[in-house]
Amino acid sequence: MARNWMTAAAAAAAALLASAPLAAQSPGYGADTVRTRAPQDEIIYFVLPDRFANGDAANDRGGLKGDRLRTGFDPEHKGFFHGGDLAGLTAKLDYIQQLGVTAIWFAPIFQNKPVQGEPGQESAGYHGYWVTDFTKVDSHFGTNDAFKAFVDAAHARGIKVYMDIITNHTADVIYFKECVGKPVCAYRSKADYPYWTKGGIKGARINGGFEGDTVATKENFARLTDPAYAYSPQVPAAEKDIKVPAWLNDPIHYHNRGNTSFYGEDSRYGDFVGLDDLMTESPRVVEGFIEIYGSWIDRFGVDGFRIDTARHVNPEFWASFAPAMLERAKAKGIPNFHIFGEVANDAMDPGFLAQHTRRDKLPAVLDFAFQAAVREMLTGKAGTDLFASLIAGDVLYEGGEAMALTLPTFLGNHDMGRLGHMLDKAYPQASEAERLARMKLAHVLLMTARGVPTIYYGDEQGFTGDGNDQDSREDMFASRVASYNDNRLVGTAATTAAENFDPSHPLYRLIAELSALRREHPRLREGRTVLRHSGPKPGLLAFTRGEDDSEEILVAVNTSSEPVSLNVEVGYRSRAFIGLAGTCPTTASAPGSVAIALPPFGYAVCRATPID
């Protein structure tokens, strides 16, 4: 069966390579530029393979037998596998490319523990974050050969491939004897349960000579031999060798201190909702993950990593890991390998994100501050001056404004939910026209602001979801989940009960239009952001991309439900304007000033032409 599938995957890849629509590629975005393009040149599409397209029904159960608690497959339940796979994703590359996407980031595809959870609360690893085998593709998604076929087909179209990786934890395999039968396994601190006594301060002395986890030498960690300083870790006999590589099966490589509350010390040392939290301070763990993920670069030539739960790992780990991955990629002929960490934060706080680029030395982070700014502005909770604060914070990142250009920006995701749902909650009485107008405005900001626009799959089809996590992970193919199928999508009368790959959807068309503009105009990718107008209430936000002595691009949006008409400062040399999107003025009102008039939720993207 595996041999037949590998042959089919190779055949599918060959067909896609031959049929790659070169007309959809803008100059500088063909297969020959995949390795040379800078991170800020990309437009990213983030997808969960299980929820996108089912190309091979034979792998729906991952080769397992039994009910959903054994196979993880139940297409009627939002928390189980639905059947999407790499074959389906590869077959839909036309749809993705015609949207204007130049890089695909997908949720982890490593082999997962099929099902986890207490009785009655089980769910499946369809999302990819419960890894048991870090060296191969989950059998629900296909094979390593299917992944190779996907990467090759994407590269043939000039599309990069970014993998989602995890170093903070593995699947939940280790349990603690003291917590059996308890609803919560509370975190036990390093002060109350130090490494040198068994089960607490009054316990027997253990781990003699170990100098603590801040002394990151092999000699020091060789003296850490007993993992029972806080709890007594146990591994079920049936799962004692389940993790790959084999070193991951030894409890000594984990913190074993109970569940995190996501605050203070336990944010780095506690189990993430029960998942086995790795001791990333240990040189053995650092070396192990450098080899694991370096191998994916070597074997498949991927173009970047998104790092899950980066804020829950000690900074010293990243200071070793990230440079090692960049060097591994360069050795493979990938000079612009993009690494961006997930530093989840709900607030518009660039400083919180920036510390992870300065102290942790992460090359980039997901721009949660951008999402917060757009969310707060478009839900009416903040004025447009919040965007000004966002841009002012760019100097805080390591490398300043230059790094800010490489931060992936987004409107929503698989954890926090979709912006469409957030807008519906803020404006439950909004008309269909207003709902669409607000979502269009959000995408104009996403596609014209500094950073790397990241589209969450389904947003281009008006998906809204019902909230966060499982409620925001709808199927693109015809869904059988009742709570998905009753959602009110934006810009269409369709539902998720039928497949949603409609290139005529107004949001799909808008994103494709703006993607073309971004690819064709370098200033939208690398131009400096100059704030031209903002205020303390919803209304006009205007900024230009590029210096005022060159051909700057003016972006103006109206976040209010009332029309706006204002004069906006522009560069002295900007005298005439060419409309790129929306309604633009044709000439400046006076040197250094242009009149902007926008309807409710209107926008304008205008290229200035300077005087000689």
Side-chain angles (χ1 to χ4, degrees):
M1 184 66 189
R3 184 175 302 157
N4 290 339
W5 163 241
M6 288 159 59
T7 303
L16 282 162
L17 292 174
S19 64
L22 298 179
Q25 299 173 351
S26 297
Y29 281 86
D32 58 332
T33 69
V34 166
R35 299 307 193 203
T36 59
R37 297 195 310 259
Q40 59 264 34
D41 289 336
E42 310 308 335
I43 297 164
I44 302 172
Y45 191 73
F46 172 43
V47 60
L48 273 67
D50 179 63
R51 303 300 164 91
F52 194 69
N54 190 344
D56 182 13
N59 61 33
D60 286 356
R61 292 171 172 78
L64 304 171
K65 298 186 182 301
D67 63 12
R68 72 178 189 180
L69 296 184
R70 291 187 176 275
T71 68
F73 179 70
D74 183 354
E76 297 183 5
H77 192 291
K78 64 185 178 181
F80 284 76
F81 283 98
H82 291 178
D85 51 32
L86 285 166
L89 189 59
T90 307
K92 290 295 184 182
L93 280 173
D94 270 353
Y95 169 87
I96 294 171
Q97 184 174 26
Q98 288 163 11
L99 185 62
V101 169
T102 66
I104 297 173
W105 153 32
F106 46 86
I109 59 164
F110 314 107
Q111 185 68 54
N112 267 228
K113 191 172 183 178
V115 178
Q116 288 185 176
E118 297 298 320
Q121 300 178 3
E122 301 94 344
S123 63
Y126 68 93
H127 42 67
Y129 294 101
W130 300 343
V131 184
T132 54
D133 188 339
F134 287 84
T135 68
K136 72 175 186 178
V137 167
D138 191 290
S139 53
H140 292 84
F141 300 146
T143 64
N144 286 11
D145 290 285
F147 181 61
K148 182 67 164 58
F150 167 73
V151 174
D152 289 347
H155 283 170
R157 294 162 177 265
I159 298 174
K160 293 183 178 181
V161 176
Y162 296 155
M163 297 184 73
D164 201 317
I165 67 169
I166 310 111
T167 66
N168 178 65
H169 56 261
T170 70
D172 185 9
V173 173
I174 300 171
Y175 69 96
F176 305 126
K177 186 170 73 172
E178 294 84 351
C179 292
V180 173
K182 294 182 179 180
V184 177
C185 196
Y187 182 79
R188 290 183 169 179
S189 72
K190 294 201 291 181
D192 290 331
Y193 295 86
Y195 292 111
W196 301 276
T197 56
K198 199 174 189 70
I201 290 176
K202 297 181 180 180
R205 294 299 179 94
I206 57 175
N207 298 321
F210 180 59
E211 297 183 41
D213 57 44
T214 60
V215 181
T217 65
K218 292 181 180 179
E219 294 77 13
N220 183 48
F221 272 86
R223 303 183 189 107
L224 182 65
T225 58
D226 190 337
Y229 35 82
Y231 285 110
S232 303
Q234 313 286 310
V235 177
E239 296 181 321
K240 67 181 182 65
D241 298 315
I242 194 174
K243 296 179 184 178
V244 179
W247 64 265
L248 288 163
N249 293 299
D250 189 341
I252 202 66
H253 298 308
Y254 298 83
H255 285 128
N256 303 312
R257 290 187 174 276
N259 285 352
T260 181
S261 66
F262 302 101
Y263 292 98
E265 174 190 307
D266 70 48
S267 181
R268 286 191 182 150
Y269 289 84
D271 288 355
F272 197 98
V273 292
L275 298 169
D276 299 347
D277 195 73
L278 282 148
M279 187 172 282
T280 47
E281 299 82 5
S282 167
R284 180 66 185 92
V285 176
V286 176
E287 292 173 358
F289 275 115
I290 287 174
E291 181 51 38
I292 285 170
Y293 291 121
S295 174
W296 286 90
I297 297 172
D298 294 344
R299 289 182 290 158
F300 302 102
V302 295
D303 305 283
F305 290 151
R306 178 266 193 185
I307 302 172
D308 180 63
T309 53
R311 63 179 288 189
H312 301 292
V313 174
N314 59 305
E316 297 80 7
F317 179 91
W318 301 126
S320 296
F321 179 84
M325 293 301 96
L326 294 175
E327 285 302 314
R328 196 78 165 249
K330 286 180 182 177
K332 182 68 174 178
I334 311 170
N336 292 306
F337 195 82
H338 196 22
I339 298 175
F340 48 101
E342 179 208 23
V343 184
N345 191 36
D346 197 46
M348 207 301 289
D349 187 357
F352 178 84
L353 300 175
Q355 66 178 311
H356 295 273
T357 67
R358 287 187 173 273
R359 181 198 61 220
D360 301 16
K361 303 303 180 185
L362 285 171
V365 291
L366 280 166
D367 197 350
F368 279 83
F370 176 90
Q371 196 282 333
V374 173
R375 181 188 72 230
E376 296 297 286
M377 288 192 299
L378 295 189
T379 56
K381 296 177 181 178
T384 54
D385 56 350
L386 192 63
F387 188 86
S389 298
L390 171 77
I391 299 303
D394 285 352
V395 298
L396 300 174
Y397 295 98
E398 184 74 21
E401 293 177 349
M403 173 177 276
L405 294 173
T406 72
L407 306 180
T409 53
F410 62 99
L411 301 176
N413 64 25
H414 60 319
D415 291 327
M416 66 168 42
R418 298 182 185 272
L419 183 64
H421 176 71
M422 301 170 197
L423 292 174
D424 282 347
K425 285 182 65 178
Y427 304 103
Q429 304 305 317
S431 67
E432 293 302 314
E434 180 179 331
R435 295 175 76 223
L436 178 59
R438 289 185 185 275
M439 283 301 294
K440 282 186 172 182
L441 195 65
H443 281 93
V444 169
L445 278 171
L446 178 70
M447 301 300 292
T448 60
R450 64 73 180 136
V452 187
T454 303
I455 302 154
Y456 183 39
Y457 85 98
D459 277 4
E460 78 280 5
Q461 297 295 330
F463 283 16
T464 57
D466 290 315
N468 62 0
D469 199 72
Q470 295 178 7
D471 288 326
S472 63
R473 301 171 181 178
E474 304 96 311
D475 302 309
M476 290 286 282
F477 52 92
S479 182
R480 294 167 58 184
V481 178
S483 64
Y484 292 163
N485 294 341
D486 64 6
N487 291 345
R488 186 166 61 122
L489 276 57
V490 177
T492 178
T495 73
T496 57
E499 74 168 23
N500 283 271
F501 295 100
D502 181 9
S504 68
H505 190 288
L507 288 173
Y508 184 102
R509 295 202 313 269
L510 176 68
I511 294 169
E513 173 190 352
L514 295 171
S515 296
L517 291 181
R518 192 172 181 96
R519 295 193 307 270
E520 292 164 12
H521 296 281
R523 283 170 183 79
L524 289 175
R525 307 193 303 269
E526 57 195 40
R528 183 170 182 266
T529 301
V530 180
L531 263 295
R532 298 300 191 182
H533 184 89
S534 65
K537 296 181 180 180
L540 181 65
L541 169 66
F543 57 91
T544 52
R545 302 293 309 278
E547 302 296 341
D548 61 6
D549 61 351
S550 62
E551 296 182 7
E552 63 185 357
I553 293 179
L554 172 67
V555 179
V557 300
N558 178 12
T559 66
S560 76
S561 57
E562 300 294 331
V564 296
S565 182
L566 288 167
N567 291 319
V568 171
E569 181 185 9
V570 291
Y572 171 78
R573 291 164 51 83
S574 297
R575 301 297 174 87
F577 293 87
I578 298 171
L580 301 180
T583 304
C584 290
T586 57
T587 60
S589 304
S593 179
V594 66
I596 294 294
L598 294 175
F601 317 119
Y603 59 87
V605 183
C606 322
R607 180 171 66 86
T609 57
I611 58 173
D612 294 330

